[in-house]
Amino acid sequence: MKRASLAAIAGSALCASGAAFAQASQVQGPVTGSSVTLFGVADAAVAYGSGSIATKTQLISSGNSASRIGFRGIEDLGGGLGAGFWLESGVSLDTGTGVAGNTNNQASGATSADALSFNRRSTVSLIDLWGELRLGRDFTAHYRNRTDVDPFDNNGVGTIQPQAGSIAGPTSTRASNMLGYFLPPGLGGLFGEVQYFMGENQKHTPAADDGTGLSGRVGWRSGPFGIAVATARTDYQQTATNGDIRSTNVGASYDFQIVEVSAGYYRDKVESFQPVTATGYAVGFIVPVGIDQIKFAWSRYGTDAIGDPAARKLSLGYVYSFSKRSVAYATYSHLSNSGGSAVGLNGSITAPDRSSNGYDLGLRHSF
Amino acid sequence: MKRASLAAIAGSALCASGAAFAQASQVQGPVTGSSVTLFGVADAAVAYGSGSIATKTQLISSGNSASRIGFRGIEDLGGGLGAGFWLESGVSLDTGTGVAGNTNNQASGATSADALSFNRRSTVSLIDLWGELRLGRDFTAHYRNRTDVDPFDNNGVGTIQPQAGSIAGPTSTRASNMLGYFLPPGLGGLFGEVQYFMGENQKHTPAADDGTGLSGRVGWRSGPFGIAVATARTDYQQTATNGDIRSTNVGASYDFQIVEVSAGYYRDKVESFQPVTATGYAVGFIVPVGIDQIKFAWSRYGTDAIGDPAARKLSLGYVYSFSKRSVAYATYSHLSNSGGSAVGLNGSITAPDRSSNGYDLGLRHSF
Amino acid sequence: MKRASLAAIAGSALCASGAAFAQASQVQGPVTGSSVTLFGVADAAVAYGSGSIATKTQLISSGNSASRIGFRGIEDLGGGLGAGFWLESGVSLDTGTGVAGNTNNQASGATSADALSFNRRSTVSLIDLWGELRLGRDFTAHYRNRTDVDPFDNNGVGTIQPQAGSIAGPTSTRASNMLGYFLPPGLGGLFGEVQYFMGENQKHTPAADDGTGLSGRVGWRSGPFGIAVATARTDYQQTATNGDIRSTNVGASYDFQIVEVSAGYYRDKVESFQPVTATGYAVGFIVPVGIDQIKFAWSRYGTDAIGDPAARKLSLGYVYSFSKRSVAYATYSHLSNSGGSAVGLNGSITAPDRSSNGYDLGLRHSF
């Protein structure tokens, strides 16, 4: 029985930490065989933060790449058709606990961080010529677009402020109860995905649609250049502080060989009675030094709330590679608050409009 | 040192989803080598339910087979003797969380569904000529007998109502703190198991024996025909709503090649001050269509509470197989309530004595 | 690029259960290749305890060795340099749940036992000629020294009373947020480690240093003889019942071939307003009988609280080995209380100054 034809397998959402800016879909090549893979990251760092009020020293997890353990596999169904699964649990390496997830894309669905769950990704996929159908819990498309141009991959003190300070709510990074579709590769550099996710609330109530939304992303990559735009909306009942959340961002990168440059623009809006809009931008540089990397990022994220609070962050990092799998790293960040903002780095406390400094000094091993 | 002779290894409690009716013990063949296996199922479906009051659409987990991840192994101890372990965690694939378990076979022992635990099975075994000794948490014998004749394997909207609506309490499906014994294979088709499980309460109190009980099953299989009976009792302090729970069921199946037919009869009794007895039956058909399957089940489950509330369910399913490991499936069920029953399918809400409809449309990948 | 020279890999903290007394560091041999390993223990026992007030029968987990599942790996970085990870979750085999951990080395950081977490160990390591740097959650050094001379490895009813009754608080066994350093092997029998762990509390408060501490161990092993001493301090705010906890212990062992003998001395002090000091000792014997073992331990642990409450324990065990990986075991213990102590074995309840008896009858399989 021939039920399939040429197809491709998606699956590389496991970002290689510190890699070049992705700027492309996770769709990668044709199905060439069946496999089940155990994978993960163990990353811990001494983290120090100072603010005008209080400093803090900790051992943190995930300063360079998110500590995790996962299981993924793909079955070659012949003729290129494939089916696969991906189960990935966050780990707090400093304590051995898990990382909190969310079951319904709403505040009420937050889960305990005490133990392991496949909070990072939990999906089953069917892949063919037409692309990939993916069901379960996964990154949202607008998150992928946001993180792909962050030299620090949303990890550690260095991550760009449009990620660290995002007001985009429970679906800012991931969503549960998702139906996703990815374009196949081989479209001349075009890539994209669209997702529908459900809050699964009781119907016929004011909060019936809370946690339900859409996210989409489309981009184009050609040689050293990539650009992509994403937009999303998640519904929430309108109150003084909550309401539908809309996020739009665009990111681009260019690899000049001696330096990879990236830039992003971000806009998040919470449609509460008095809507709040946040805007941000980021510029990043990754300079390869042999197998090591120098990372630099400059970013800003602020809202139009009273005073126009905003935070500007400057981050500098060095990744020393023992191998592709094992690195030591050092990151330094300086954050400036304005308009009443009081963001402190690495657990420090700082007064409004005062600055904060932080660094991470860590060890990361991927497996 | 020769410490063992001819023996056999148990272990196939990982039901192949959508397989023929099991109607046999989990005891399978002699120990032929040592191994450790990672296994699991990733299953998600769009599920819709409609009732007279409210409808619901969700992404659910486990519409065709229970989403899970597990680790099991067997050590060949020579001469046929074997030792093994089995650790299996339920997964809610739609959210990445776990599935609730129970530590003491009582309401007080319910555990959080937020995270992963070996709620499905957690055992250590010793296997020899005389059978298998199995210690830990496992399915109860009377559950195995109940589910073995369900064409839908207790998964999704289609599962027979004596499973979906069971009043048999915390040990209806599994029990913790269990000592189990399985008959060896090679007894001319005879198979069986007996289990003793403990609630582990403080002695000398009215609830001392809560959660403690026995479950046993005996059956016979010959060629296309199999039949088995199971009975169980779990102790609970007698109150207006609780009391000892007794369950008995019998199931039989016959494989006519063009169709496999199964039937079951079920009786559960809660010995509260005013005892409640539930009775049910189910008839199932699985029609192989090449490597696909058509499934059909008709079932009823009702109690002798005031009004004699009962639910009748008709289920029809199609399983489209990409391979043995990967399938797409569609299931439709219609449920009729009577006597004040108000069961709604797939999260829908229906008024007493009104009907409910539901369907699942999903993807399952085993690994 | 040559970035490394001769080095050694640490990692054998997975104690072989029932093995000879360790009395040496976990540092073992040079890095000889990369690997990722799945490992674990499944151990369950029928446990009975009797006291003057109430008896108890249970199925317990971990009567001979702690039930667990783990993942560990090492990367050979060339020239002997290595990097590795170790993630190990406790399992309650009787119920399938996890084992409680602690995120901040304080009572407030206790985590749920409902589900799996890498409560036993969660570390990333860098290893070279100079030793091992290990970050994350791990055993404390003073625990390793305490358990290395216990014939029962801190498992089951037989474990020595300075372990079972320890007043040494949250870091008595493990600590989170730890920076650890191990001496390399090849120092003529000398071994040692030092650890700094953090409570990570807000600064400038009375409890700022709670959960922060140091633990260190140094020892020497030569042929059949080994000796080691460990000391630790964890800070806690002083109250009527709490305060800094100081622990010191020394252990030694000698392998006479026909019997291995061990002895330990223990001192734990809680510096509350009215300080409490506990002292204990233990003597152990392991007699090999072919591949089986007879174990014997005699221990005492008591405090200088009013009445000088103390417990003395006598334990006798037999481990029947089907293989190195699979054993059956029986352990019997008798505990005598004095000075108002009321310790009951295996969940039994006994009146002050009365005795208690307990036994475990179990099955353990390692993988």
Side-chain angles (χ1 to χ4, degrees):
Chain A
M1 188 180 339
K2 186 172 180 302
R3 279 188 161 165
S5 55
L6 187 65
I9 156 184
S12 72
L14 172 67
C15 303
S17 165
F21 303 110
Q23 281 296 300
S25 128
Q26 282 65 32
V27 186
Q28 289 191 331
V31 175
T32 57
S34 300
S35 68
V36 174
T37 303
L38 164 71
F39 65 94
V41 172
D43 182 334
V46 176
Y48 171 80
S50 67
S52 67
I53 297 174
T55 65
K56 187 159 195 170
T57 306
Q58 306 165 78
L59 191 76
I60 62 162
S61 179
S62 313
N64 174 268
S65 182
S67 295
R68 74 192 77 172
I69 187 164
F71 308 88
R72 59 189 151 94
I74 201 80
E75 183 187 10
D76 184 342
L77 292 169
L81 184 72
F85 75 100
W86 192 298
L87 298 170
E88 183 178 331
S89 172
V91 175
S92 294
L93 200 79
D94 49 342
T95 61
T97 55
V99 173
N102 190 296
T103 60
N104 64 6
N105 312 324
Q106 304 165 54
S108 63
T111 61
S112 168
D114 270 11
L116 304 173
S117 68
F118 297 122
N119 66 300
R120 291 182 57 84
R121 182 166 163 190
S122 164
T123 58
V124 59
S125 290
L126 188 67
I127 309 120
D128 204 343
L129 192 62
W130 42 260
E132 176 184 359
L133 173 68
R134 193 185 290 182
L135 308 181
R137 176 175 174 82
D138 195 8
F139 285 119
T140 46
H142 60 295
Y143 173 78
R144 276 205 191 87
N145 204 50
R146 194 175 75 207
T147 206
D148 269 1
V149 293
D150 178 357
F152 297 92
D153 279 339
N154 199 26
N155 291 305
V157 72
T159 188
I160 58 172
Q161 203 55 22
Q163 302 222 76
S166 177
I167 65 167
T171 60
S172 174
T173 303
R174 293 181 187 84
S176 289
N177 314 312
M178 183 193 286
L179 287 78
Y181 164 72
F182 291 75
L183 285 176
L187 300 180
L190 179 74
F191 59 88
E193 61 182 295
V194 61
Q195 304 170 331
Y196 174 68
F197 41 86
M198 293 176 272
E200 302 188 344
N201 283 359
Q202 193 63 53
K203 292 300 168 199
H204 314 305
T205 69
D209 293 330
D210 280 27
T212 297
L214 282 162
S215 182
R217 181 192 190 204
V218 63
W220 179 73
R221 179 154 194 94
S222 174
F225 179 68
I227 187 165
V229 61
T231 190
R233 193 192 76 184
T234 310
D235 290 348
Y236 298 100
Q237 185 182 359
Q238 196 177 40
T239 67
T241 52
N242 292 314
D244 292 352
I245 298 179
R246 294 167 185 275
S247 293
T248 299
N249 55 57
V250 55
S253 65
Y254 198 98
D255 185 354
F256 293 97
Q257 303 295 323
I258 56 159
V259 59
E260 295 176 79
V261 182
S262 66
Y265 173 78
Y266 311 87
R267 190 169 182 279
D268 301 309
K269 184 174 185 185
V270 179
E271 297 186 329
S272 44
F273 292 147
Q274 181 74 34
V276 177
T277 300
T279 52
Y281 57 81
V283 181
F285 300 87
I286 298 181
V287 180
V289 182
I291 59 169
D292 297 342
Q293 286 183 322
I294 299 172
K295 295 175 173 186
F296 174 84
W298 188 45
S299 63
R300 181 198 181 275
Y301 191 72
T303 76
D304 62 357
I306 296 169
D308 292 333
R312 285 163 192 80
K313 192 197 271 188
L314 192 69
S315 299
L316 185 66
Y318 193 86
V319 181
Y320 177 96
S321 295
F322 297 107
S323 71
K324 279 188 89 155
R325 290 174 54 198
S326 300
V327 308
Y329 59 90
T331 309
Y332 167 79
S333 290
H334 174 81
L335 184 144
S336 303
N337 290 294
S338 65
S341 172
V343 176
L345 295 173
N346 273 346
S348 66
I349 303 177
T350 203
D353 301 338
R354 299 293 296 270
S355 65
S356 175
N357 293 284
Y359 67 76
D360 297 341
L361 201 61
L363 200 56
R364 187 261 298 167
H365 176 69
S366 304
F367 57 95
Chain B
M1 188 181 342
K2 186 174 180 302
R3 277 185 161 167
S5 56
L6 187 65
I9 155 184
S12 72
L14 173 68
C15 303
S17 163
F21 302 110
Q23 282 296 301
S25 129
Q26 283 64 34
V27 186
Q28 289 191 331
V31 173
T32 56
S34 300
S35 69
V36 174
T37 304
L38 164 70
F39 65 94
V41 173
D43 182 334
V46 176
Y48 171 80
S50 67
S52 67
I53 297 174
T55 65
K56 188 158 194 170
T57 306
Q58 304 165 79
L59 191 76
I60 61 162
S61 179
S62 313
N64 174 268
S65 182
S67 295
R68 76 193 76 174
I69 186 165
F71 308 88
R72 59 189 151 94
I74 201 80
E75 183 188 9
D76 183 344
L77 292 169
L81 184 73
F85 76 99
W86 191 298
L87 298 170
E88 183 177 331
S89 172
V91 174
S92 294
L93 200 81
D94 49 342
T95 62
T97 55
V99 173
N102 191 297
T103 60
N104 64 5
N105 313 324
Q106 304 165 54
S108 62
T111 61
S112 168
D114 271 11
L116 303 173
S117 68
F118 296 122
N119 66 300
R120 290 183 57 85
R121 181 165 164 191
S122 163
T123 58
V124 59
S125 289
L126 189 67
I127 309 119
D128 204 343
L129 192 61
W130 42 259
E132 176 184 359
L133 172 69
R134 192 185 290 183
L135 307 180
R137 176 175 175 83
D138 196 7
F139 285 118
T140 47
H142 59 295
Y143 172 77
R144 276 205 192 86
N145 205 50
R146 195 173 75 206
T147 206
D148 270 1
V149 292
D150 179 357
F152 296 92
D153 279 340
N154 198 26
N155 290 305
V157 72
T159 188
I160 57 172
Q161 202 54 23
Q163 301 222 78
S166 176
I167 64 167
T171 60
S172 173
T173 303
R174 292 181 186 84
S176 288
N177 315 310
M178 182 193 286
L179 288 78
Y181 164 73
F182 290 76
L183 285 175
L187 300 179
L190 180 74
F191 60 89
E193 61 182 296
V194 62
Q195 304 170 331
Y196 174 67
F197 40 86
M198 293 176 272
E200 303 188 344
N201 283 0
Q202 193 65 52
K203 292 299 168 202
H204 313 304
T205 69
D209 293 330
D210 280 26
T212 297
L214 282 162
S215 182
R217 180 192 191 203
V218 63
W220 179 72
R221 178 154 195 96
S222 174
F225 178 67
I227 187 165
V229 61
T231 189
R233 193 192 77 184
T234 310
D235 290 348
Y236 297 99
Q237 185 182 1
Q238 196 178 38
T239 68
T241 53
N242 292 314
D244 293 352
I245 298 179
R246 293 168 186 274
S247 293
T248 299
N249 55 57
V250 57
S253 64
Y254 199 99
D255 186 353
F256 293 98
Q257 302 295 322
I258 57 159
V259 58
E260 296 176 78
V261 182
S262 67
Y265 172 79
Y266 311 87
R267 190 169 181 279
D268 301 310
K269 184 174 185 185
V270 180
E271 296 185 329
S272 43
F273 292 146
Q274 181 73 33
V276 177
T277 301
T279 52
Y281 56 80
V283 180
F285 300 88
I286 298 181
V287 179
V289 181
I291 58 170
D292 297 343
Q293 286 183 321
I294 298 171
K295 296 175 173 186
F296 173 85
W298 188 45
S299 62
R300 181 198 180 275
Y301 191 72
T303 78
D304 62 358
I306 296 168
D308 292 332
R312 285 163 191 78
K313 192 196 272 188
L314 192 70
S315 298
L316 185 67
Y318 193 87
V319 181
Y320 177 96
S321 296
F322 297 106
S323 72
K324 279 188 90 152
R325 291 173 55 198
S326 299
V327 308
Y329 59 90
T331 310
Y332 168 79
S333 290
H334 174 81
L335 184 143
S336 303
N337 289 294
S338 65
S341 171
V343 177
L345 295 174
N346 273 346
S348 67
I349 303 177
T350 205
D353 302 337
R354 298 292 296 270
S355 65
S356 175
N357 294 285
Y359 68 77
D360 297 341
L361 200 61
L363 200 56
R364 187 261 295 167
H365 175 70
S366 304
F367 56 96
Chain C
M1 190 180 341
K2 185 174 181 303
R3 278 185 163 167
S5 55
L6 187 66
I9 156 184
S12 72
L14 174 68
C15 304
S17 165
F21 303 110
Q23 280 297 298
S25 129
Q26 282 65 33
V27 185
Q28 288 190 332
V31 173
T32 58
S34 300
S35 68
V36 174
T37 304
L38 165 70
F39 65 94
V41 173
D43 183 334
V46 176
Y48 171 80
S50 67
S52 67
I53 298 174
T55 65
K56 187 158 195 170
T57 306
Q58 305 165 76
L59 190 77
I60 61 162
S61 178
S62 313
N64 175 269
S65 181
S67 296
R68 76 193 75 172
I69 186 165
F71 308 88
R72 60 188 150 94
I74 201 78
E75 183 187 9
D76 184 343
L77 293 168
L81 184 72
F85 76 99
W86 191 297
L87 298 170
E88 183 178 330
S89 172
V91 174
S92 293
L93 200 80
D94 49 342
T95 61
T97 55
V99 174
N102 191 298
T103 60
N104 64 6
N105 312 324
Q106 304 164 56
S108 62
T111 60
S112 168
D114 270 10
L116 304 173
S117 68
F118 297 122
N119 66 301
R120 290 181 59 83
R121 182 166 163 190
S122 163
T123 59
V124 58
S125 291
L126 189 67
I127 309 119
D128 204 344
L129 193 61
W130 41 259
E132 176 183 357
L133 173 69
R134 193 185 289 182
L135 308 180
R137 176 174 173 82
D138 196 7
F139 286 119
T140 46
H142 59 295
Y143 172 78
R144 276 204 191 86
N145 205 50
R146 194 174 77 206
T147 206
D148 270 1
V149 293
D150 178 356
F152 296 92
D153 279 340
N154 198 25
N155 291 305
V157 72
T159 189
I160 58 172
Q161 203 55 22
Q163 302 222 76
S166 177
I167 64 167
T171 60
S172 173
T173 303
R174 293 182 185 84
S176 288
N177 315 310
M178 182 192 286
L179 287 79
Y181 164 72
F182 290 77
L183 285 176
L187 300 179
L190 180 73
F191 60 89
E193 62 182 294
V194 62
Q195 303 170 331
Y196 173 68
F197 40 86
M198 293 176 272
E200 303 188 342
N201 283 0
Q202 193 64 53
K203 293 300 167 199
H204 313 305
T205 69
D209 293 330
D210 279 27
T212 297
L214 282 162
S215 182
R217 181 192 191 203
V218 63
W220 181 72
R221 177 153 196 95
S222 174
F225 178 69
I227 186 165
V229 61
T231 189
R233 192 192 77 184
T234 310
D235 289 349
Y236 297 100
Q237 186 182 359
Q238 196 178 38
T239 68
T241 52
N242 293 313
D244 292 352
I245 298 179
R246 293 168 186 275
S247 293
T248 299
N249 55 58
V250 57
S253 64
Y254 198 98
D255 185 354
F256 294 97
Q257 302 295 323
I258 56 159
V259 58
E260 295 176 78
V261 182
S262 66
Y265 173 79
Y266 311 88
R267 188 169 182 280
D268 301 309
K269 183 173 185 185
V270 179
E271 297 186 330
S272 43
F273 292 145
Q274 181 73 34
V276 177
T277 301
T279 52
Y281 56 81
V283 181
F285 301 88
I286 298 181
V287 180
V289 182
I291 59 170
D292 296 343
Q293 285 183 322
I294 299 173
K295 295 174 173 188
F296 174 84
W298 189 45
S299 63
R300 180 197 181 276
Y301 191 72
T303 77
D304 62 358
I306 295 169
D308 292 332
R312 285 163 193 78
K313 191 196 272 186
L314 192 69
S315 298
L316 186 66
Y318 193 87
V319 181
Y320 177 96
S321 295
F322 298 107
S323 71
K324 278 188 89 154
R325 291 174 53 198
S326 300
V327 309
Y329 59 90
T331 309
Y332 167 79
S333 290
H334 174 80
L335 185 143
S336 304
N337 290 294
S338 65
S341 170
V343 176
L345 295 174
N346 273 346
S348 67
I349 302 176
T350 204
D353 302 337
R354 299 292 296 272
S355 65
S356 174
N357 293 286
Y359 67 76
D360 297 342
L361 200 61
L363 199 58
R364 188 260 297 167
H365 175 70
S366 304
F367 56 95

